[in-house]
Amino acid sequence: MALFITFEGGEGSGKSFQAGEWHQRLSRQATPVLLTHEPGGTPLGDEVSHWLKWQDGMEVSPLTELLLFNAARSQLLDKVIRPNLAAGKTVICDRFADSTTVYQGYGRGLAQSVVKTVNDAATQGIKPDLTILLHISVADGLSRKKSELADRFEKEDVAFHERVRQGYLKLAAGEPGRWLVVNANQPRKKIAETIWENVGRLLPHRGA
């Protein structure tokens, strides 16, 4: 049974680490699985990621961000996600359309109707079966990133990141059947076990 699982969260939440842990764990039990990420995962997506996150001094409007993220997403779906799901693999994606909803919608202030229309055009009906939100306060999340080089989004003010955090919680509350909210202020091993106990039972041939 192919599943599409996404990991979401604000800056410093640890979602990328946990997505990688899930990939390793499923691989060890011989579950066909693929790990990918947004923005990126394809040559086009990697270029878009560089433009949007690391081009210092380049002004990018919220609408342009929305369109570029979804251009990369459409390519990732066509070239990576959809073919692997069709082949029966579980696909784990570090960020997906929910990130755009909260960052460009709640964070940047774009109308949710506009964000939804563009997201829907790019995703073409593909929606995660499971979305794991690593929830952490803005202060705690950003403090984890202090020793790293900050990208354009990490450099945003606290108010922006708080809107993103609240946006995630609203999305999770609106679709409790799809979302699992996990307290990210725990040891990594405890977080991984919490996710596994809540979601691992849904996977075929569950192992250790």
Side-chain angles (χ1 to χ4, degrees), residues 63-82:
L63 181 58
T64 300
E65 282 185 358
L66 173 67
L67 295 171
L68 286 173
F69 275 123
N70 274 290
R73 179 168 300 129
S74 177
Q75 186 80 350
L76 183 66
L77 272 165
D78 286 345
K79 302 300 182 183
V80 178
I81 294 175
R82 195 188 300 273

Side-chain angles (χ1 to χ4, degrees), residues 5-155:
I5 302 170
T6 57
F7 281 75
E8 296 283 355
E11 309 305 327
S13 62
K15 59 175 183 49
S16 298
F17 176 85
Q18 294 298 335
E21 284 289 293
W22 254 68
H23 177 255
Q24 291 181 25
R25 194 162 193 173
L26 292 179
S27 296
R28 286 197 299 269
Q29 68 172 38
T31 298
V33 60
L34 174 85
L35 174 64
T36 189
H37 65 279
E38 284 201 358
T42 66
L44 173 66
D46 292 340
E47 287 293 330
V48 170
S49 178
H50 179 72
W51 295 338
L52 287 173
K53 297 175 70 175
W54 301 108
Q55 286 282 21
D56 289 337
M58 183 175 68
E59 293 294 329
V60 182
S61 73
L63 181 58
T64 300
E65 282 185 358
L66 173 67
L67 295 171
L68 286 173
F69 275 123
N70 274 290
R73 179 168 300 129
S74 177
Q75 186 80 350
L76 183 66
L77 272 165
D78 286 345
K79 302 300 182 183
V80 178
I81 294 175
R82 195 188 300 273
N84 280 278
L85 289 174
K89 290 185 179 181
T90 289
V91 175
I92 300 171
C93 195
D94 179 357
R95 295 201 183 281
F96 193 58
D98 294 307
S99 282
T100 302
T101 299
V102 297
Y103 276 80
Q104 279 65 56
Y106 289 96
R108 297 294 194 211
L110 286 176
Q112 288 295 335
S113 59
V114 173
V115 176
K116 183 178 186 304
T117 296
V118 179
N119 278 356
D120 287 350
T123 56
Q124 303 172 49
I126 298 293
K127 194 171 186 178
D129 298 295
L130 308 162
T131 298
I132 298 148
L133 172 60
L134 278 298
H135 179 250
I136 193 170
S137 71
V138 171
D140 287 342
L142 292 179
S143 70
R144 292 179 175 181
K145 308 288 286 189
K146 282 183 178 178
S147 61
E148 302 176 16
L149 183 64
D151 64 30
R152 285 180 62 250
F153 295 97
E154 292 163 352
K155 291 176 181 177

